[in-house]
Amino acid sequence: MVSVEDYGNFDTAWCPGCGDFGILKALKRALADMDKSPDEMLLVSGIGQSGKLPHYLKCNFFNGLHGRTLPPATAAKISNHELTVMAVAGDGDCYGEGGNHLIHAIRRNPDITVLVHDNQIYGLTKGQASPTTQPGMKTKINKEGVFNRQLNPLALAISQDCSFVARSFAGDIEHLSEMIKKAVEHRGLSLLDILQPCVTFNHLNTFKWYSERVYKLDENEYPLNDRVKAFEKSLEWGERIPIGVFYVNDRPVFEESLDVLSSGPLIRNKVKTDSVNELIDGFM
């Protein structure tokens, strides 16, 4: 039986009070509840405070480039589709630098869970506006307030028929843990946007600010496969902010389209070099 302690207990470099602590705690709880042993897991991250999360878990992980979380996560899933693969990113990492990768990962639909630490700011690089920063918010760079419109990641994902779309809050460990479990158990690309305060650089969207606004979606309120109603719900933001599962569909996953995986993970296949050698010989 897997326990939270199996994933280790490490010192962190996060600011005291950071929302990242809630995400780390909820993730450990979810993995233990699902009886996922560390050797079954692979966490892939990019750059940012969110990118440090896999460093604080005792399991397989890959820490790559800024915004490039999804390509290596997809490659790893193809190489060994028996692994449970999670991509971890921040709002700047996933929706800014990695926005194009997110769109095309939604199209491919690999069986990967994407956790986005959405604190509406670039924390590691000292407080620039990110794609999800609210208009009017003043940052260290935007002294007159942010002018650009705020990206709505849930509406974007639902519009592209993402296989699983949900949102949770780092200040509600129980809810976040349940959302992580649902995202992992769903077969296909699962996007979980996690509202997370940044205590150092975002003094608007605080724990108190979110706690006064978030409310849990009633899954009986509408069928989870109703794309139009999910899209309407994703537009709700301001005095009331819904959290929960917004949309689910059962599209075929990317791995199923690859015949080479039918006999098992690539890592167990015997390497055949004949065709490669023949190709190289053709250039000699």
Side-chain angles (χ1 to χ4, degrees):
M1 190 72 182
V2 175
S3 69
V4 168
E5 287 72 27
D6 291 329
Y7 280 90
N9 186 21
F10 300 88
D11 292 333
T12 73
W14 291 326
C15 302
C18 176
D20 283 330
F21 290 104
I23 298 173
L24 178 61
K25 185 174 182 179
L27 177 57
K28 283 184 176 180
R29 182 185 295 185
L31 295 174
D33 287 349
M34 289 186 291
D35 205 27
K36 292 279 186 186
S37 63
D39 64 298
E40 295 179 83
M41 296 297 305
L42 171 67
L43 268 65
V44 181
S45 67
I47 301 298
Q49 297 295 356
S50 62
K52 298 175 182 174
L53 182 133
H55 303 178
Y56 308 140
L57 287 160
K58 186 181 177 183
C59 67
N60 304 304
F61 78 87
F62 178 86
N63 192 191
L65 301 175
H66 205 355
R68 306 293 180 258
T69 310
L70 284 166
T74 302
K77 187 68 181 181
I78 293 170
S79 300
N80 185 357
H81 58 295
E82 292 179 351
L83 273 175
T84 297
V85 179
M86 306 181 80
V88 182
D91 43 298
D93 192 44
C94 188
Y95 304 144
E97 282 87 346
N100 198 36
H101 291 306
L102 175 63
I103 291 171
H104 295 290
I106 290 173
R107 292 176 56 229
R108 295 187 184 98
N109 197 35
D111 187 16
I112 292 172
T113 299
V114 186
L115 302 183
V116 181
H117 300 218
D118 190 352
N119 59 9
Q120 304 181 58
I121 204 78
Y122 282 93
L124 185 66
T125 47
K126 311 305 181 188
Q128 300 94 334
S130 83
T132 55
T133 303
Q134 291 189 206
M137 179 175 156
K138 295 183 179 179
T139 74
K140 293 180 69 176
I141 304 298
N142 305 87
K143 298 293 186 183
E144 302 301 322
V146 174
F147 174 78
N148 293 333
R149 296 295 298 267
Q150 187 178 21
L151 179 74
N152 184 329
L154 301 192
L156 172 66
I158 293 166
S159 75
Q160 298 306 305
D161 207 18
C162 185
S163 191
F164 178 100
V165 182
R167 177 195 282 146
S168 191
F169 171 43
D172 187 337
I173 304 296
E174 184 175 352
H175 183 268
L176 177 54
S177 178
E178 288 302 311
M179 289 298 105
I180 292 173
K181 284 189 280 186
K182 288 187 177 185
V184 172
E185 288 165 355
H186 177 78
R187 186 164 163 74
L189 189 80
S190 305
L191 175 65
L192 177 55
D193 186 73
I194 305 169
L195 303 174
Q196 176 224 327
C198 173
V199 295
T200 302
F201 296 110
N202 185 344
H203 301 296
L204 172 63
N205 309 112
T206 62
F207 278 105
K208 181 175 183 295
W209 189 91
Y210 281 123
S211 297
E212 292 173 347
R213 288 165 174 79
V214 296
Y215 74 93
K216 297 182 177 79
L217 284 173
D218 180 358
E219 295 187 8
N220 298 317
E221 184 181 349
Y222 56 80
L224 290 177
N225 58 358
D226 189 326
R227 193 173 169 193
V228 173
K229 289 188 177 181
F231 187 80
E232 290 175 353
K233 184 57 70 175
S234 74
L235 300 180
E236 191 175 336
W237 181 271
E239 292 307 310
R240 283 172 58 78
I241 300 174
I243 58 175
V245 180
F246 284 66
Y247 180 61
V248 173
N249 70 45
D250 294 319
R251 294 165 48 196
V253 299
F254 184 51
E255 300 88 288
E256 291 174 350
S257 68
L258 303 173
D259 290 340
V260 69
L261 298 179
S262 60
S263 58
L266 292 182
I267 58 169
R268 294 207 197 107
N269 287 0
K270 185 177 180 182
V271 178
K272 297 178 181 177
T273 59
D274 293 350
S275 58
V276 176
N277 291 336
E278 187 179 332
L279 181 64
I280 293 173
D281 290 342
F283 288 100
M284 300 299 286

